[in-house]
Amino acid sequence: MLAAAVGAVLSLSGCGPQDTMQAADSSSAVATSGTDRTADTTTAAAPTSRDTGSADQAATAALTTLGTLPVKGRAPKTGYARDLFGQRWSDDVNVEFGHNGCDTRNDILRRDLTGVVAKAGTRDCVVAAGTLDDAYTGKTIAFTRGESSSAAVQIDHLVALSDAWQKGAQQLSSDERRDFANDPRNLQAVDGPTNQAKGDGDTATWLPPNRRYRCTYVARQIEVKAAYRLWVTPAEKAAMTRVLTGCGGTAPADENTSTTTPGETPETPRPRPLVETPQAGGDVYYENCAAVRAAGKAPLLRGEPGYSAKLDRDGDGIACE
């Protein structure tokens, strides 16, 4: 049953940014205030009649897969570091696009952008320009690679790395975590500021502003969590269920119950950690890109407070892009 359900979710997600479920607008919106981002999980009314049958089936398949995921409290974030998921945008992975000679970021840009222009002398690997029909906002964004422009389009992990760490990724091998961080199923080229607003939120705390994409977004998160044996929290599962039933899906009988194992904590609001430390001369220092993103400062451009060469892996003047 799990294999069949995941297959149906795969047929829904595809590679493009458009949502095949086509959920209509709802009256509620995502509320963002400081570090407390509460998502609208009531979502939309039914899809248009033309797509209702396939949308209902896809949403039901996602709900079926959701029903197989363990439900637990969030584990402590203790010990989390971005480096535990391997070198960023590594090509040395056992997922789609792995070992093709190009880094993952550019693989996803080539997949999600149209009218792609490659940078000369890069064997068509590095994307110099293109156009993004952004799934998260519904906007059309012109992408041009450069210190002041690359940040307009960023690559989002649908299931954030730190969220995954707190929901089972601590038990994955280093190779599995590297695959997770570079798996195209978990990656989407999106509007940069919207990606920053998401942070490491899960479905219970953040959903794309574009309501027409929410059903596909949640179904893809479920697909990824099933593939990497991750769990969901009670609040997260409830939010996912509301989104997908709002798309016409039918939830199976719920056999999972909430459990909290030793070392885990119930789902509670988490204070934002202190991530920037003034150094001599008043400069800002970030230990790693996870700290930069947690502070809402990514990407950092050369010359900005906190920028350092160690955070700029490809040396293009844009750190933590």
Side-chain angles (χ1 to χ4, degrees):
M1 178 179 292
L2 175 59
V6 171
V9 174
L10 279 165
S11 68
L12 163 67
S13 61
C15 291
Q18 299 302 317
D19 179 10
T20 57
M21 286 187 174
Q22 299 290 310
D25 288 347
S26 69
S27 59
S28 301
V30 175
T32 304
S33 176
T35 59
D36 181 17
R37 296 187 294 275
T38 304
D40 165 25
T41 53
T42 58
T43 63
T48 58
S49 58
R50 180 173 60 85
D51 300 315
T52 297
S54 61
D56 290 357
Q57 293 172 6
T60 297
L63 285 166
T64 299
T65 304
L66 177 60
T68 69
L69 301 182
V71 183
K72 305 181 184 182
R74 185 186 296 270
K77 194 175 177 178
T78 306
Y80 169 74
R82 171 61 180 83
D83 290 346
L84 292 169
F85 288 81
Q87 179 182 346
R88 66 185 62 250
W89 308 136
S90 173
D91 187 41
D92 185 20
V93 289
N94 298 308
V95 292
E96 186 182 6
F97 303 142
H99 303 285
N100 69 352
C102 302
D103 68 88
T104 303
R105 172 179 164 79
N106 281 289
D107 284 333
I108 300 304
L109 289 175
R110 285 196 310 277
R111 184 194 71 180
D112 292 349
L113 272 58
T114 59
V116 170
V117 176
K119 182 178 179 180
T122 64
R123 297 176 291 106
D124 293 334
C125 272
V126 176
V127 175
T131 300
L132 175 68
D133 293 324
D134 180 38
Y136 283 9
T137 65
K139 299 188 301 184
T140 298
I141 302 170
F143 170 78
T144 302
R145 181 180 176 85
E147 288 191 22
S148 62
S149 57
S150 286
V153 174
Q154 299 176 16
I155 308 301
D156 180 42
H157 289 92
L158 278 76
V159 178
L161 303 187
S162 64
D163 182 65
W165 179 259
Q166 297 169 82
K167 297 174 184 176
Q170 296 185 36
Q171 282 74 54
L172 298 179
S173 68
S174 58
D175 286 347
E176 288 176 313
R177 286 196 294 268
R178 186 170 64 249
D179 286 350
F180 176 86
N182 293 277
D183 194 328
R185 292 174 295 182
N186 193 35
L187 298 173
Q188 181 76 38
V190 298
D191 173 62
T194 303
N195 184 43
Q196 296 303 308
K198 172 186 174 179
D200 64 355
D202 62 15
T203 299
T205 59
W206 191 89
L207 285 168
N210 179 16
R211 293 179 177 86
R212 296 174 69 86
Y213 190 67
R214 289 179 179 177
C215 298
T216 293
Y217 175 82
V218 171
R220 289 180 63 185
Q221 286 188 323
I222 292 169
E223 174 195 349
V224 169
K225 292 208 165 193
Y228 288 91
R229 309 183 303 282
L230 305 180
W231 68 72
V232 291
T233 65
E236 183 181 15
K237 181 173 184 177
M240 287 176 160
T241 300
R242 284 194 293 270
V243 170
L244 293 169
T245 55
C247 303
T250 302
D254 190 353
E255 298 178 356
N256 280 339
T257 58
S258 176
T259 60
T260 302
T261 57
E264 296 169 358
T265 56
E267 186 77 350
T268 56
R270 294 169 292 149
R272 186 173 292 280
L274 181 64
V275 294
E276 52 184 79
T277 305
Q279 303 294 302
D283 291 338
V284 174
Y285 169 76
Y286 296 105
E287 182 179 0
N288 50 41
C289 283
V292 176
R293 293 189 178 93
K297 304 295 186 180
L300 286 172
L301 303 182
R302 185 180 288 119
E304 291 183 341
Y307 173 90
S308 67
K310 77 168 188 175
L311 301 176
D312 185 2
R313 296 294 182 88
D314 59 3
D316 66 351
I318 307 170
C320 306
E321 56 188 303

